[in-house]
Amino acid sequence: MIDLTVDIGRLRLKNPVLTASGTCGYGREYAHILDLNQLGGIMVKGTSLVPWAGNPAPRVVETPAGMLNAIGLQNPGLDYFLHTELPWLRQFDTAVVVNIAAHQIEEYAELARRLDNAAGVAALEVNISCPNVRQGGLSFGSDPLTAHRVTAAVRQATSLPVIVKLTPNVTDIAALARAVAEAGADAVSLINTLLGMVIDVRARRPALGNIVGGLSGPAIRPVAVRMVWEVAGAVSIPVIGMGGITCAEDALQFLMAGASAVAIGTATFANPRAPFEVMKGMAAFLQEEGFTAVSDIIGLARRGIA
Amino acid sequence: MTWQQCQAVISRRSELPHGHILLGLKAPPVAARARPGQFLHVRCGGDGWPLLRRPFSLAGILPAEGEVELLVRRVGKGTAWLASQPVGQVLDVLGPLGNGFPRPWQKQKQGDLLGVAGGVGVAPLVPALLEAARTGWDVGLLLGAQDAPGLLLVERLRASGIDVSTCTEDGSYGRQGLVTELLAERLPGASLVFACGPPGMLRVVREMTTAVECYFSLEERMACGVGACLGCACQSGDGYHLVCRDGPVFSAREVQL
Ligand SMILES: Cc1cc2nc3c(=O)[nH]c(=O)nc-3n(C[C@H](O)[C@H](O)[C@H](O)COP(=O)(O)OP(=O)(O)OC[C@H]3O[C@@H](n4cnc5c(N)ncnc54)[C@H](O)[C@@H]3O)c2cc1C
Ligand SMILES: Cc1cc2nc3c(=O)[nH]c(=O)nc-3n(C[C@H](O)[C@H](O)[C@H](O)COP(=O)(O)O)c2cc1C
Ligand code: FES
């Protein structure tokens, strides 16, 4: 029997495979064909204090080995989550990680406070890729000082494990990771989507209603692995890796680069059972290669290098 | 009733004009539960490319045969792949998905259903029109296309007792003009209108049908197809609806085009 458990700071996961925020809703859509009990955790759709309407259509467009999305964080708001989605999620034996989204630091803190005592929440994932209204829409995650402030505010407001989700749209992601670790984050997750754009030449205008969107899927995987490698070398808190994972081998790259767990996003759209298959394939790989615990391969590729 | 992921085997295929193809798929779990107006989300490509599935309306539902049909127009990579697959090819599909059309004929003995479609937009209407006709409703279809060969499935629908009127933009068959011009004449008497086609056509249909119940089958770019990604939004009076989950069929007055 392979030991698949991993520890993300104080949070113990039964296995290192989660669903990525925004790609699995609140779990309902896939629950009948993807047994959520088999997963390490589910990172729910970005949730804000009040409902957000989201962006005009078209919101998605396919790109080579990937896709752009500009959903605009449409979500029904915290109250709906607490009263309708969270009670439903409690039936599953899996870690429910609540991804929080806000336009101001005080809103992040308020979300953290209100989720602190909610039964069934295992951890918070703080999406700092959101636009900061006080800084003209610049993302909170684009500069270490602001990222530090958001993290510290959330840290103060909750006793839950705090995972800060980093954006790859920065020059030095390791500096961001150091800033949020200093501010008290229990873990970091990365990467969020890479900013991109497609122009529909027949229509002579941008393909997305929002003009720009976030790139995800296999196209971004090498970038994500490189960033996980850099961040895992820069901070001592655990890393959750994601970006273009479609199969066990992809996921193993992230673990060997130094991630303690992985999340599956875009791959689920093509193959709804992808998270489950990644978990199974990972266990099979460990067995074949003679490992007894998944924790033995975390950072394995770094040995003798970094 | 929820969707499944299942294998669908291509049981027959026929080439239609202008690069359209009609596929018969053996998929008993889908055929047993599908309702007119629902769609399938099909993996198009063998090796993970293209990445995302492609949505196609059910153009035929044959529960006794365990089959469904798709009417596919080649427009890009995914549809070109699908249209070139041989009989016997196994497809990975999610379905049946979406809400489907209302079916008042299940309760009301009599009624007059009118379909309005442009080109391949006829696909989602076919099962609804056939089902209504079988229960004894008066069923008509107004079909428009660029030219005569673009008028798809006309013989088949006529053979099933549906009163099909056609028009072509080049005048090569039926009347010359737009399908909405036919609608002006045929609308009196209709109690229910189902329409599918380009947004411009649907806008005109909506303006003309203020006095009668009217439903549209809409299209939007999709990723998941099951309501998880919020990618297929269409604007309504009170925020956004999801075409894959809340639709693809909407009341004409409920959505903005
Ligand atoms: C609910 C629903 C039902 C549909 N039913 C049918 C059907 O019965 N028969 C059929 O032939 N097609 C149908 N479509 C459209 C079909 O899904 C697209 O044509 C297909 O996804 C294109 O894939 P592709 O890889 O060939 O094209 P791509 O290479 O992705 O794109 C080629 C061209 O097609 C356009 N296109 C891509 N996706 C769509 C889309 N969803 N709607 C409109 N244009 C698009 C692009 O703008 C581009 O110009 C339906 C779409 C939806 C949302
Ligand atoms: C449609 C879609 C919606 C997303 N929504 C969110 C979100 O609400 N919050 C968030 O932190 N990340 C969101 N993401 C980013 C993913 O969680 C993930 O970080 C990214 O897609 C990379 O992983 P992937 O390539 O496996 O999809 C979204 C991604 C997609 C494709
Ligand atoms: S396509 Fe994902 S919600 Fe409709």
Side-chain angles (χ1 to χ4, degrees), chain A residues 184-271:
Chain A
D186 295 280
V188 286
S189 56
L190 64 151
I191 59 177
N192 211 319
T193 53
L194 282 153
L195 214 47
M197 181 170 180
V198 166
I199 288 173
D200 179 339
V201 296
R202 302 248 172 251
R204 306 177 188 182
R205 57 169 189 251
L208 291 174
N210 187 54
I211 302 175
V212 297
L215 183 63
S216 65
I220 71 170
R221 192 191 313 132
V223 177
V225 172
R226 185 267 294 177
M227 288 187 159
V228 164
W229 176 279
E230 282 182 10
V231 167
V235 295
S236 55
I237 54 175
V239 175
I240 300 174
M242 66 192 84
I245 298 173
T246 63
C247 62
E249 199 165 309
D250 299 344
L252 288 160
Q253 291 193 49
F254 284 81
L255 296 185
M256 290 191 186
S260 299
V262 294
I264 318 297
T266 302
T268 309
F269 302 152
N271 175 13

Side-chain angles (χ1 to χ4, degrees), chain B residues 73-92:
Chain B
R73 184 160 84 109
R74 287 184 183 84
V75 296
K77 305 174 289 295
T79 47
W81 181 88
L82 187 58
S84 66
Q85 296 311 298
V87 168
Q89 174 70 37
V90 180
L91 303 175
D92 168 3

Side-chain angles (χ1 to χ4, degrees), chain A residues 1-8 12-17 38-40 252 255 260-261 276 278-287 291-298:
Chain A
M1 218 16 216
I2 310 280
D3 179 7
L4 287 177
T5 59
V6 292
D7 291 317
I8 307 297
R12 169 153 292 195
L13 302 179
K14 69 167 99 170
N15 68 62
V17 182
Q38 303 273 352
L39 299 181
L252 288 160
L255 296 185
S260 299
F276 177 76
V278 167
M279 190 272 288
K280 281 287 175 214
M282 202 182 260
F285 175 89
L286 294 168
Q287 180 98 48
F291 292 97
T292 54
V294 71
S295 50
D296 293 342
I297 64 162
I298 294 170

Side-chain angles (χ1 to χ4, degrees), chain B residues 54-57 71-73 75-79 123 219-221:
Chain B
R54 299 292 191 258
F56 298 97
S57 303
L71 177 62
V72 177
R73 184 160 84 109
V75 296
K77 305 174 289 295
T79 47
E219 291 191 6
E220 191 46 73
R221 295 303 186 87

Side-chain angles (χ1 to χ4, degrees), chain B residues 221-232 242 244:
Chain B
R221 295 303 186 87
M222 292 185 178
C224 72
V226 303
C229 74
L230 313 185
C232 61
L242 297 179
C244 72

Side-chain angles (χ1 to χ4, degrees), chain A residues 14 26-28 31 35-37 42 44 78-98 114-122:
Chain A
K14 69 167 99 170
Y26 293 104
R28 282 183 199 269
D35 183 2
L36 302 178
N37 296 306
I42 158 165
V44 303
L78 182 64
D79 287 328
Y80 185 87
F81 172 73
L82 290 173
H83 295 128
T84 309
E85 301 296 355
L86 186 57
W88 181 83
L89 278 165
R90 276 190 213 118
Q91 69 181 292
F92 299 103
D93 174 24
T94 194
V96 175
V97 178
V98 183
R114 293 195 47 204
L115 283 159
D116 192 32
N117 297 316
V121 177

